[in-house]
Each structure stands twice: as C-alpha cells, then as structure tokens.
Amino acid sequence: MNASAAALVAARREGGLRRTAADWRLMAWRNGLTAVRRPNVLVSGILFPSILLCLMVGVFSGSIVLPGAAAGLAFVDYLAPSIVLQSAVFTAMTAAGSMAVDLEAGVMDRLRSLPIARSAVLGGRVVDCTARTVLCAGVVLGVAVALGFRFRAGALPAVGFMGIAVVFGFAWSWYGMLVALILRSFDAVAGLMFLTFFPLFFLGGAFVPVAALPGWLQPVGNVNPLTAVTGAMRALALGGPTTTPVLQALGWSAAIALLCGSAAINRFRRGAA
Amino acid sequence: MTAATVTERVASHRERAIACTVSETLVLAQRGLTSVLRTPRTVVFVIAQPVLFLLLFTAVLSETVVVPGVQRYADQLVPAIVILAVSGAALGPGVTLLADLDGGLLDRLRSSPIARGALVSGLAVAAVGVTILALGALLAAGFATGFRFRAGPWATVGFLALAVGCGVAWIWVSLALALATRSQEAVRQSLQLGSFVLLFGSGAFVPVATLPGWFQPLARANPVTPATEALLALSAGGPTARPVTVALAWIVGTCLVCATFTFRRYQRLE
C-alpha cells in the first residue's frame, strides 16, 4: 500500500501540466456546483442588482438631474453600467464568502492532504468565479436592456464593456480571497466587503457623476477605481473617447489583482489556510 | 434542595404567572442584549450600516434630486434611512433564535422553571434595545447632515416612538421568518431583500406623486410609504393624522400576525 501510494505520487508529478489543468477544472466544477446550490449566490449576483436597477430607475427617473457631461442622459443609460459592474463584483464576493466557509469547515485542510495541485485550490476558485461573473452580469445586462438601456457604440465596444466588468470582478475576487484567508469567517468577510465596496461604489460615480458630489468629497470620487471602471464601461456603451478610461480601468484592475493576488497566494503558501 | 421546596417554588411560580413571565423575559432580554454588545462585529454593523447609507445617499442625492415641496433633502432622507436602520437591527433576533435552538438553549430552558415563551419575548425586548442604539447613531449622523426636528417637542416624541414602533414590527417579522424557514441564511436573505424592496418601492426617497404612474398604486399600498410619510410629517411638519394612523395600523397588524404565528410555532417546537 505504501509503495503504491508513493507510485501514485510519482505518477502525478510526472503528469505535470495536464494533471494540474485537470485539477483546476475539477475544483472549478466543484465550486460552481456548491455555488449554484447556495441561494445567496443568485440573490446577490442577479436578484439584488436587478431589483436595484428596476427600483432606482423607477423611483429616481422623474426627479434626478444629472450635471455636466451626463446632462440629458436617460437615468437608465447612466445607471446600467454601474449595476452590471455591481453584479460582477457581488458575484466575486460570493466566491470569497464560499472560501471563508471552506476555511471554517476544514475543507481547505482536507484539500491540502490530497494529492492534487496546490494551485488548483485558489485557481479553481478564480475560474469558477469568472465563469459565474459572466453569467450573472449577462443576466443583469438583459434586465437593463429590457428597461431601455442600449449600446450606442457598436458590437465590439459592447464586448469590451462586458470584458471590463469581468476583469474588474476577477481583480476584486483576489481582494475577497485575501480577506477570506485573513478573517476566515463568512460573516466577517461579507461585512468587510460590504463596508469597503459600497462607499467606493457610491462615491465612484455609480449613481450620479462625481461632479455632483459635495466639493470636499470630489477627490474621493476622482481617485477611485470604481470611477475609472464605470467611466470606461459608460464610454464603451454610450460612445465617446475610450482609450484613456479603458487603460485606467485595466490599470486599476491589474494593480488590485497583482497586489491582493500575490498577498493571498503568499498567505496561502505559508500555510495560513 | 428538597422535593418540597421545589414543589413549593413551582406552585408559587404558577400563582404569580404574569409577574414571573415578565421578569423571566427581562432576564433573557438582558442575556440577549449582553451577547449582542459583546459581539463587536454586530454592533459595528448595526450602527455603521444606517450611518454609512445616510452619508452616502446624502452625498449622492442631495444635489441631484429635485423634489418639489422639499427644501432640504436631508429631511426626506432621514425617515427613509430610519426604515433601513430598524430593519437592519431586526436581523438579530431571528438569527439568534435559530442559533439558540441549534445550540440547545431551548432544551436547557425547558428543564428550568420559567415561562416557555420567555426566550422569544426576551429576544424581542433585547432587539428593541439594539434598535434604539441604531436609531441614536442614525439621528446623530442626521444632525450632522442638516436634519432637524422642526415640528415641535410632541411631534419629536411621536417621531421617536413611531420609529421604534416600526422596529418592533420588523423584529416580529424577523422572529416569524426564523420559525417559518428554520434557516439563518434564509432569514438574512429574505429580510435584507424584503426591506430593500419595500424601501425602494415606496415613497421614501421621493414623494409618491413624482413616481411614474404605473408605480404609484404599488408605492401607495406599500407599508413603508405611510411610515416614512408619517416620520417626515412628524419631523419636517405637515398633516400627521392620516399617515400616522395608517402606519400604526400596519405596525399593530404586523405585530399581531407575526407574534401569533411565532408563539404558535414556538410552542409546537420539538
């Protein structure tokens, strides 16, 4: 038995890249299944953003006056990119929450004792999370279109629009995983993600342009990853110069993903998990 | 303790039923409140959520939303966030009740000579304390953003009482949901989503008259609309009789239905 275990381990080492890819796929599939079976994923990724979009468009369309460059824009056109992004980010947050649950329940320890590629534990999370982000953000986009939102800049920018949302969701999921690895509790992760995302989102031009904020809050609005990301998505959907905002959005996403990703992987390797 | 004294105690207990139930409720309420106050995370969430949303909504909406008849948007906004604050504070009792049932507290209490319903009513009373804490934090933040009580001292008392009353209604909804679903996550999700839909689907943020036509009947039928209208009238001034009556009717009705359901279910728990 000992010999055959050693042989198994040896055989796995030999398998290298293909084995690793298979492990990633398996973990992603497992995470996807657990996510689909937890109602909170559908609620926070699809239901909550869709309802927010419907109700905010219904409530504020008649009384909100957008300033500056956004003046004359229908509120749904202004709001929809933000809410699609919110859906992407919330989906990413559920991945971090599920990881916290795994940590609490000891699934992570179990995975460590299995002869699988270590990278698959985090990698499977990221793959599953990205796939679900596309799905959830796509459904919310459908709701936005039903409410009157249209892409005015053509098909290629529309693809870029979804791409930016997914890339930022991907970056944010690394932040969530770092938080999950540190706090190791579902409630704490949910609370902290909520407390960091919402202020950035509100002050990042999500509902009204930064120009409408009180003067002392404008710096918070201007130096804000969400301002860059929703700005880029809005430019890609509605037309206008896209190069600078898209580069800014990608820059922020890359910075968050690299910073949080390396810290999370580092922590995971050191055995904090 | 001899058998005689136990029998005596049980007998005397029965005799003073109402007084005993009240004091036992208060003991369990104190226990509930202590456990909340010793969970810093919960305290932070209950206080931070309404304050954060008030400040963010003020920052975002005060310069962009134009509501005819309302000069300071802070006046309109604070009643809306009151609903958010009390519904956030009401999350606690439902979740705690389920955690207590899972943790075996019910079995422990059954073997003690105390009123059975004291656990539920104790949690409800403790949650009122948490609600008052959340409202205090919210009103302090409201004062910082320009909200003032402009309708006189009695109206102010009415405002505070009505706000706590809304909280009591949410607390019973939370407890009823807990025993209806028996799942902490379901209580959290349905309460958060429900309060959110009711709040945004009402005349809380803008008067009903400025909503799209198809939306107005829905908003008028929504209990949050009379509640926030009454709170607005009691703070900013205006006719109070009708919205206050409708809001009180909703509060009393909700409490009666949910409390009856909760106690019925609770008595039948295995």
Side-chain angles (χ1 to χ4, degrees), chain A residues 142-165:
Chain A
V143 174
V145 170
L147 287 174
F149 173 73
R150 292 290 178 273
F151 287 105
R152 297 181 193 162
L156 204 62
V159 174
F161 173 94
M162 284 304 276
I164 297 266

Side-chain angles (χ1 to χ4, degrees), chain A residues 106 165 195 201 216 221 225 271:
Chain A
L195 284 183
F201 191 54
W216 59 276

Side-chain angles (χ1 to χ4, degrees), chain A:
Chain A
M1 193 61 210
N2 247 346
S4 65
L8 254 174
V9 172
R12 287 197 62 83
R13 284 236 181 91
E14 280 170 5
L17 206 62
R18 231 188 56 220
R19 287 280 186 164
T20 306
D23 290 345
W24 276 51
R25 215 184 53 213
L26 195 64
M27 284 307 296
W29 182 245
R30 176 257 172 190
N31 292 334
L33 277 185
T34 53
V36 169
R37 286 172 191 169
R38 283 172 59 106
N40 87 335
V41 173
L42 289 182
V43 170
S44 57
I46 295 180
L47 207 56
F48 183 69
S50 303
I51 293 176
L52 185 67
L53 182 63
C54 293
L55 291 176
M56 283 200 84
V57 167
V59 167
F60 290 115
S61 281
S63 44
I64 210 158
V65 181
L66 298 173
L73 208 56
F75 190 49
V76 65
D77 283 330
Y78 187 84
L79 189 62
S82 313
I83 305 291
V84 171
L85 181 71
Q86 187 202 349
S87 160
V89 168
F90 272 40
T91 312
M93 286 195 213
T94 63
S98 312
M99 189 152 101
V101 170
D102 277 359
L103 283 165
E104 275 180 296
V107 177
M108 290 298 233
D109 296 331
R110 177 81 185 84
L111 290 175
R112 263 170 192 267
S113 65
L114 289 175
I116 61 168
R118 266 204 173 181
S119 62
V121 179
L122 289 185
R125 269 286 165 229
V126 171
V127 171
D128 145 68
C129 175
T130 308
R132 277 189 297 118
T133 304
V134 176
L135 198 77
C136 293
V139 173
V140 174
L141 180 63
V143 174
V145 170
L147 287 174
F149 173 73
R150 292 290 178 273
F151 287 105
R152 297 181 193 162
L156 204 62
V159 174
F161 173 94
M162 284 304 276
I164 297 266
V166 172
V167 166
F168 188 76
F170 170 83
W172 194 266
S173 75
W174 280 111
Y175 165 58
M177 277 189 265
L178 177 63
V179 171
L181 280 166
I182 294 172
L183 296 178
R184 310 171 65 111
S185 137
F186 178 79
D187 286 344
V189 171
L192 187 72
M193 302 296 275
F194 171 87
L195 284 183
T196 45
F197 179 71
F198 267 108
L200 283 177
F201 191 54
F202 268 70
L203 303 178
F207 303 119
V208 299
V210 173
L213 295 180
W216 59 276
L217 273 174
Q218 299 225 348
V220 187
N222 287 325
V223 187
N224 183 324
L226 293 223
T227 309
V229 175
T230 53
M233 289 173 71
R234 228 164 256 133
L236 287 166
L238 306 174
T242 51
T243 318
T244 319
V246 167
L247 284 179
Q248 273 180 345
L250 293 178
W252 271 110
S253 306
I256 294 174
L258 280 178
L259 213 69
C260 296
S262 57
I265 291 171
N266 209 6
R267 216 180 157 80
F268 180 71
R269 276 223 188 116
R270 278 207 326 255

Side-chain angles (χ1 to χ4, degrees), chain B residues 60-118:
Chain B
V60 167
L61 298 179
S62 59
E63 313 244 326
T64 41
V65 171
V66 181
V67 179
V70 176
Q71 267 138 25
R72 300 171 207 81
Y73 194 65
D75 286 351
Q76 173 88 34
L77 205 49
V78 168
I81 309 295
V82 162
I83 304 295
L84 195 72
V86 298
S87 65
L91 207 56
V95 172
T96 313
L97 177 61
L98 290 176
D100 285 348
L101 294 184
D102 290 343
L105 185 68
L106 183 62
D107 298 329
R108 174 72 186 81
L109 292 179
R110 271 190 183 165
S111 63
S112 320
I114 69 164
R116 280 198 73 179

Side-chain angles (χ1 to χ4, degrees), chain B residues 1-62:
Chain B
M1 195 184 290
T2 61
T5 57
V6 172
T7 322
E8 235 169 67
R9 285 197 58 170
V10 171
S12 74
H13 188 87
R14 283 232 183 94
E15 278 173 3
R16 296 183 289 125
I18 291 178
C20 282
T21 308
V22 169
S23 74
E24 286 148 13
T25 295
L26 291 179
V27 168
L28 284 165
Q30 196 188 7
R31 169 250 169 198
L33 203 55
T34 309
S35 83
V36 171
L37 294 180
R38 288 191 186 157
T39 322
R41 196 189 297 153
T42 312
V43 178
V44 170
F45 182 77
V46 161
I47 292 177
Q49 192 202 7
V51 170
L52 188 67
F53 272 108
L54 177 73
L55 297 180
L56 291 176
F57 273 117
T58 305
V60 167
L61 298 179
S62 59

